[in-house]
Amino acid sequence: MYRYDEFDHRFVKERVSQFRDQVERRLSGALTEEEFKPFRLMNGLYLQLHAYMLRVAVPYGTLSADQMRRLARIAEVYDKGYGHFTTRQNIQFNWPALKDVPDILDELAEVEMHAIQTSGNCIRNVTTDAWAGVAADEIADPRPVAELIRQWSSLHPEFSFLPRKFKIAVTGAPHDRAATKAHDIGLRLHLNDEGEPGWEVMVGGGLGRTPMIAVTVRDWLPERELLRYLEAIMRVYNLAGRRDNKYKARVKILVHELGAEEFRARVEEEYVRLDKSPIEVEAAELERIAAYFAPPAYESQPKVVASFEEARLKDPAFAQWVRSNVADHKVEGYAIANISLKPEGGIPGDATADQMRAVADLAEAYSFGEIRVSHRQNLVLPDVRKADLHALWQALAEHGLAAANLDLATDIVSCPGLDYCALATARSIPVAQALSRRFADLRQQHDIGPLRINISGCINACGHHHIGNIGILGLEKKGVEFYQITLGGRGDDDAAVGSLIGPGFSGEEVPDAVETIVGTYLAERADGETFLDTYSRLGAAPFKEALYAAR
Ligand code: HEM
Ligand code: SF4
């Protein structure tokens, strides 16, 4: 895992002490809320419906057990005993008191964490595949490059006041588990004919009011030239991106308005003009960073782990969990254990302080002390010996963390919506909870198979509803909340924005509507088809008919 050097420690500490002074001035009344706003936003502090909300960065979703324990402590001492893991692999605290925020930041700094660049019009936390470094299909661990980008973009003098916020996602695997095409910049590792690694660069994806899928501007870029190319993109965007209208300020609008060809031409022109030497990535530097992500000391394991196979046969509930929540690992005898934060009727992404501590302990006992946060609001223990999976599962169950529903109907992604968010037009948490209860039957979920449901409480799309197979968007008309449903969205290699199926539904009608959609799929599916397969074969017509025929 990446470790701070002296510079990082000093830098983060200085930021905290600056902010402490700003908070004191706000509390004494020397600063109005309006004057205070730019300062707090630079430190990840939002003002929400009921309280301040602090967004803490989890770079590329990687946490140590100690960091997780610290998050648990913060939840307990300064919040209401829980935290909310988000689609950007971060964690948010919904109830800190303003006077405590500098102390929280000090506590975070002690474990090499902070809230810098988690808001504002800058390059935000770089996200990646939650299985980075361990997935069986991976070409290479993308985290050294994510870390490189983090260092390059932190307080970058030229790119700290962009036209709008900027999000970069990186993947090192052929199966995109980082939704790279739904980001301002998506980077995807490929090997060229000589077997050398390089990056495909995609630009102009993003959700929100105008959802768009990114376009590829470079098929393959040598590693050492990555930052120079990123710098060229950022410069074109910074200069030409619109600042007159915040709804048209994201890079996706620029790419769209100029056209991909013209945008690419401008980037290439800037790229050639940029002085090479200062930002060329030296192999030695990348190696230095990569050393922090060196694989842990795996032990050699038998090909077939008898105790694991036996437990699977004996214990159907364990077998079910393995089937949905355990994924293949690069190293023989090891597995990736996904911890669902979506128990029946729960709030997606929420974890209590006790649960965070339990995960930290289990990471130490079974996963070399490392934890990941996924962009589907779940946690991951990346390095579990197959021989330990049964014990791990039993321990998870004791803490309400063994829901066997990864990527199934109740693995719902949801933003906080009207329960917390000042921008919300409708609630999303209660809708997620109602759906979670409706589809609680695990046997049925396993029968339905992979199905991603995403919910947002307004057009900003924090719940990624556009790329949900079933997307739910909460809106409001004449004081009444209603929900639009989109179908066919996906965030993977074939990323697509879902299509609106028809008129919206009341909150109470949503579970029935989703059940009708799922029922139509079950009735129509051919052998081995997933929901998306059936939807792409048949299109929206049968689903529409089933939903609206009776209206
Ligand atoms: C304090 C509550 C929040 C506020 C005020 C807020 C604000 C916003 C706004 C204004 C946008 C639209 C930006 C644009 O399109 O230009 C947005 C998008 C987004 N937010 Fe949030 N958000 C909040 C909470 C969250 C949470 C809890 C998550 C994750 C669960 C999240 C993740 C995202 C994501 C993934 C997008 C989509 C960005 C894109 O691709 O265009 N946000 N948010
Ligand atoms: S989608 Fe809207 S309601 Fe949900 S968190 Fe984002 S801004 Fe708030």
Side-chain angles (χ1 to χ4, degrees):
M1 191 171 302
Y2 188 71
R3 306 309 317 251
Y4 277 17
D5 59 17
E6 245 169 67
F7 168 81
D8 294 306
H9 277 290
R10 204 180 55 232
F11 164 73
V12 170
K13 270 202 124 53
E14 280 172 7
R15 299 285 298 177
V16 177
S17 92
Q18 280 168 5
F19 190 53
R20 187 177 291 282
D21 180 57
Q22 289 155 0
V23 167
E24 271 162 21
R25 285 189 281 150
R26 171 69 194 115
L27 289 171
S28 74
L31 290 175
T32 65
E33 188 56 40
E34 213 37 46
E35 288 164 338
F36 178 56
K37 187 174 170 185
F39 298 128
R40 70 171 160 78
L41 284 181
M42 285 195 149
N43 290 278
L45 192 65
Y46 286 79
L47 186 55
Q48 284 306 300
L49 274 183
H50 312 288
Y52 285 100
M53 181 279 280
L54 181 68
R55 183 179 290 157
V56 176
V58 180
Y60 32 87
T62 300
L63 280 173
S64 69
D66 279 342
Q67 290 174 326
M68 186 63 117
R69 281 195 197 96
R70 186 54 61 93
L71 295 176
R73 187 187 133 81
I74 289 168
E76 210 158 57
V77 176
Y78 303 101
D79 204 286
K80 294 189 178 184
Y82 57 89
H84 179 74
F85 290 98
T86 79
T87 48
R88 306 221 63 260
Q89 300 183 307
N90 289 328
I91 183 169
Q92 295 184 175
F93 292 106
N94 284 308
W95 302 100
L98 180 57
K99 67 171 180 34
D100 292 334
V101 175
D103 292 343
I104 299 176
L105 294 177
D106 259 335
E107 293 223 12
L108 289 170
E110 281 173 16
V111 292
E112 308 191 342
M113 295 184 81
H114 59 72
I116 298 164
Q117 290 190 199
T118 60
S119 56
N121 294 335
C122 53
I123 299 176
R124 301 283 187 92
N125 186 34
V126 178
T127 52
T128 189
D129 185 348
W131 300 349
V134 292
D137 66 344
E138 186 175 83
I139 302 165
D141 189 347
R143 289 176 305 163
V145 158
E147 172 58 27
L148 183 76
I149 297 170
R150 187 192 73 79
Q151 294 186 12
W152 161 77
S153 62
S154 290
L155 297 199
H156 193 299
E158 190 177 333
F159 307 136
S160 288
F161 296 95
L162 295 164
R164 198 76 178 85
K165 62 180 176 179
F166 205 92
K167 300 176 178 177
I168 302 179
V170 193
T171 178
H175 287 292
D176 183 355
R177 286 175 292 262
T180 54
K181 291 184 184 175
H183 285 76
D184 297 289
I185 292 181
L187 297 173
R188 206 163 159 177
L189 192 70
H190 295 281
L191 299 179
N192 67 5
D193 292 342
E194 280 74 53
E196 295 156 337
W199 295 94
E200 176 186 352
V201 184
M202 298 168 276
V203 185
L207 304 176
R209 174 180 304 252
T210 322
M212 286 190 192
I213 300 300
V215 294
T216 296
V217 293
R218 257 295 179 124
D219 290 327
W220 194 85
L221 191 74
E223 201 126 77
R224 66 178 181 282
E225 288 172 37
L226 181 64
L227 290 187
R228 186 152 69 105
Y229 202 79
L230 293 184
E231 189 131 341
I233 295 173
M234 298 311 300
R235 196 167 274 185
V236 169
Y237 169 55
N238 203 15
L239 288 171
R242 286 179 65 165
R243 290 173 191 269
D244 60 324
N245 180 344
K246 78 176 210 181
Y247 302 119
K248 294 187 188 288
R250 298 279 297 264
V251 71
K252 62 189 171 186
I253 305 289
L254 182 65
V255 173
H256 183 73
E257 286 186 350
L258 290 177
E261 275 318 308
E262 171 64 18
F263 180 81
R264 182 184 297 126
R266 288 195 191 187
V267 170
E268 292 288 335
E269 193 183 323
E270 191 62 42
Y271 169 66
V272 173
R273 191 163 48 208
L274 268 172
D275 184 7
K276 256 192 194 175
S277 44
I279 51 171
E280 193 157 80
V281 184
E282 285 172 28
E285 175 59 7
L286 204 56
E287 269 164 34
R288 187 189 70 83
I289 294 176
Y292 289 107
F293 298 93
Y298 295 117
E299 299 160 20
S300 93
Q301 297 285 310
K303 208 176 180 109
V304 177
V305 180
S307 62
F308 166 66
E309 299 302 338
E310 211 169 287
R312 240 190 339 180
L313 282 174
K314 271 204 193 130
D315 192 340
F318 173 59
Q320 210 164 31
W321 179 75
V322 170
R323 200 171 128 203
S324 52
N325 288 42
V326 173
D328 290 342
H329 197 284
K330 263 182 189 172
V331 178
E332 203 162 82
Y334 282 82
I336 303 169
N338 293 277
I339 302 174
S340 164
L341 294 180
K342 324 290 174 60
E344 181 180 339
I347 297 173
D350 271 14
T352 65
D354 284 343
Q355 287 177 323
M356 290 185 227
R357 257 191 299 266
V359 171
D361 292 348
L362 291 171
E364 265 170 3
Y366 299 121
S367 189
F368 299 97
E370 194 172 307
I371 302 146
R372 309 290 179 79
V373 183
S374 85
H375 81 290
R376 300 219 11 118
Q377 300 182 287
N378 291 317
L379 300 176
V380 180
L381 297 185
D383 290 304
V384 182
R385 293 190 315 168
K386 281 186 177 167
D388 291 332
L389 280 171
H390 193 238
L392 168 67
W393 173 75
Q394 286 171 315
L396 287 171
E398 279 168 30
H399 295 92
L401 291 167
N405 62 354
L406 196 86
D407 274 342
L408 302 181
T410 60
D411 183 7
I412 298 167
V413 170
S414 169
C415 80
L418 206 48
D419 285 86
Y420 297 101
C421 181
L423 305 177
T425 44
R427 288 167 302 168
S428 31
I429 290 173
V431 176
Q433 289 174 306
L435 282 171
S436 165
R437 292 195 187 98
R438 177 67 65 93
F439 286 94
D441 182 346
L442 259 186
R443 278 237 305 271
Q444 186 202 13
Q445 286 193 60
H446 280 254
D447 177 42
I448 296 167
L451 177 64
R452 295 184 162 191
I453 300 178
N454 291 52
I455 309 175
S456 304
C458 81
I459 51 164
N460 287 320
C462 303
H464 275 181
H465 66 278
H466 296 111
I467 54 170
N469 306 159
I470 299 178
I472 299 171
L473 165 63
L475 294 166
E476 181 264 344
K477 208 181 201 167
K478 297 194 184 120
V480 182
E481 293 168 39
F482 72 104
Y483 297 83
Q484 284 186 341
I485 296 187
T486 50
L487 295 183
R490 58 202 293 173
D492 58 4
D493 331 351
D494 301 314
V497 169
S499 316
L500 186 62
I501 181 104
F505 299 87
S506 72
E508 293 71 45
E509 290 169 326
V510 170
D512 283 342
V514 174
E515 201 167 3
T516 302
I517 292 164
V518 171
T520 307
Y521 151 66
L522 292 176
E524 300 285 346
R525 71 174 163 188
D527 245 11
E529 271 187 347
T530 62
F531 172 79
L532 274 181
D533 294 337
T534 304
Y535 177 80
S536 40
R537 179 168 56 83
L538 296 176
F543 297 94
K544 237 182 201 163
E545 200 166 305
L547 273 177
Y548 299 107
R551 274 199 166 185

